[in-house]
Amino acid sequence: MSKKITVGVVGAGRIGKLHVSNLKKMDNVRLKTVSDLFADQLEDWFRESGAERLTKNYKELIHDPELDAVFICSSTDTHAEIIKEAAGAGKHIFCEKPVSFSDQETLEVYEAVKSAGVKFQLGFNRRYDRNFRKVKQWVEKKVIGDLHVLKITSRDPNPPSLDYVSRSGGIFMDMTIHDFDMARFISGTEVEEVFVHGAALVNPKLAEWGDVDTAVITLKFANGAMGVIDNSRRAVYGYDQRLEAFGSKGAVHVNNETESKVECWSEEGIKSDNLLHFFLERYNEAFDREVKEFIRAIENDSDIQTTFKDGIMAQRIAEAATASLKSGKPVKVRGLDE
């Protein structure tokens, strides 16, 4: 039997706990340590987690010679420092998006990882959704001809707290960054320009933070195609995740996932199950796949598919969207070499 990959997880919030749950099920992984600032409140969870140790100090993971890889699931403002330390210690790194709130800081982290020669994967989980991957394949194979319009709808069931918003980097960096990444992933080309209309329609207090909760974003792609993203922080009917790629020879759609595909038809109308509640349920299979791909890349010494470039470019689109919201004008997206 081949040696197990020994991993540690920094941050045991809901996304960290999800990764722990998926790692626990993998026979080729040894889940050694989880760190969290509130470790003393996680004892009950820890006993069922499958991890060997629980600590408040993430540096214990960084300096553990047994650990092959570190999962960084802490708040975004801690990512850059932990990535640099982990890279310096020779650990492979999986990090939730975004790398940081600063373009300069993200590039510095990129250089640190590159110099260390470790593997780095960014947590854009939607790339691993089976439905979106099929759309990607069909667009690549030109089943729908040349791509003309890409439409993405992404609406959360409940708005975040104002405390979270104050630390989130804003809707475009926190929420829409997934949609910006999907736009690049599905289209297979770069976003050159962004134009945003946005407002705080769900919670007007967001305007005090310079943020919005409702937005319509238009994209101009390098290949001449166009994109439209609509976001809301509150969809009362559930987690709304839809996508359409329209081309010269047809269109392909991804509709919402529901608790089941069962429908009841009667004289009272047609009834079906509700949408899945939130991202943990909707994308659980995708989260599992991205972790397996990361571990497989370490085992086989193969290339990572979701790279720093993907993170940098999605972050730059988010920065351009924020600038467009403030200026009311289209904003060019800086290329990788700019």
Side-chain angles (χ1 to χ4, degrees), residues 93-128:
I93 302 161
F94 180 101
C95 183
E96 282 300 325
K97 59 76 193 168
V99 172
S100 77
F101 295 136
S102 160
D103 191 84
Q104 180 179 347
E105 192 170 43
T106 296
L107 291 174
E108 289 174 359
V109 171
Y110 170 63
E111 291 300 326
V113 169
K114 188 167 64 172
S115 296
V118 297
K119 297 187 184 300
F120 179 93
Q121 181 170 322
L122 198 61
F124 281 132
N125 61 287
R126 296 182 191 181
R127 288 173 171 246
Y128 301 88

Side-chain angles (χ1 to χ4, degrees), residues 127-310:
R127 288 173 171 246
Y128 301 88
D129 176 81
R130 67 185 190 281
N131 301 304
F132 296 147
R133 282 201 162 187
K134 191 163 189 177
V135 173
K136 166 74 169 175
Q137 292 168 3
W138 284 8
V139 170
E140 282 183 339
K141 294 177 181 178
K142 292 191 176 290
V143 174
I144 60 168
D146 294 326
L147 181 66
H148 287 176
V149 179
L150 180 64
K151 297 174 67 176
I152 299 172
T153 292
S154 182
R155 302 168 185 162
D156 287 352
N158 296 298
S161 67
L162 288 176
D163 178 63
Y164 176 84
V165 168
S166 69
R167 297 177 286 107
S168 70
I171 189 172
F172 304 125
M173 194 68 75
D174 171 55
M175 176 181 175
T176 322
I177 195 167
H178 278 292
D179 305 312
F180 294 145
D181 181 64
M182 285 304 299
R184 295 181 64 250
F185 177 66
I186 297 294
S187 69
T189 189
E190 297 296 345
V191 175
E192 289 190 333
E193 186 178 273
V194 181
F195 184 38
V196 175
H197 286 289
L201 301 181
V202 177
N203 186 350
K205 289 185 178 180
L206 285 177
E208 298 174 11
W209 298 97
D211 200 5
V212 299
D213 51 35
T214 310
V216 175
I217 305 149
T218 57
L219 310 173
K220 179 182 177 183
F221 292 103
N223 64 0
M226 294 171 281
V228 180
I229 299 171
D230 79 85
N231 288 141
S232 175
R233 287 288 200 181
R234 185 181 68 186
V236 296
Y237 49 84
Y239 191 41
D240 191 356
Q241 298 284 290
R242 287 171 285 147
L243 182 147
E244 177 192 62
F246 171 77
S248 58
K249 295 182 179 179
V252 57
H253 304 258
V254 177
N255 291 318
N256 282 307
E257 295 278 4
T258 54
E259 294 173 8
S260 79
K261 294 299 182 182
V262 176
E263 293 182 338
C264 178
W265 296 33
S266 71
E267 63 182 9
E268 297 176 356
I270 299 174
K271 297 180 181 179
S272 62
D273 281 346
N274 293 331
L275 306 185
L276 294 177
H277 178 64
F278 209 12
F279 71 95
L280 296 178
E281 295 84 6
R282 168 63 180 82
Y283 290 115
N284 187 46
E285 184 179 328
F287 281 115
D288 185 53
R289 281 186 179 145
E290 71 173 353
V291 168
K292 286 179 178 175
E293 180 171 296
F294 176 63
I295 297 298
R296 192 178 301 118
I298 296 172
E299 286 182 319
N300 301 332
D301 193 21
S302 53
D303 291 338
I304 295 291
Q305 299 302 308
T306 308
T307 67
F308 244 112
K309 177 182 177 181
D310 300 313

Side-chain angles (χ1 to χ4, degrees), residues 103-104 106-107 110-111 190-193 222 309 312-313 316-317 319-320 331-338:
D103 191 84
Q104 180 179 347
T106 296
L107 291 174
Y110 170 63
E111 291 300 326
E190 297 296 345
V191 175
E192 289 190 333
E193 186 178 273
K309 177 182 177 181
I312 292 168
M313 291 312 302
R316 287 186 172 181
I317 300 169
E319 291 170 351
V331 174
K332 296 287 186 182
V333 178
R334 288 185 299 144
L336 188 63
D337 298 325
E338 295 181 51

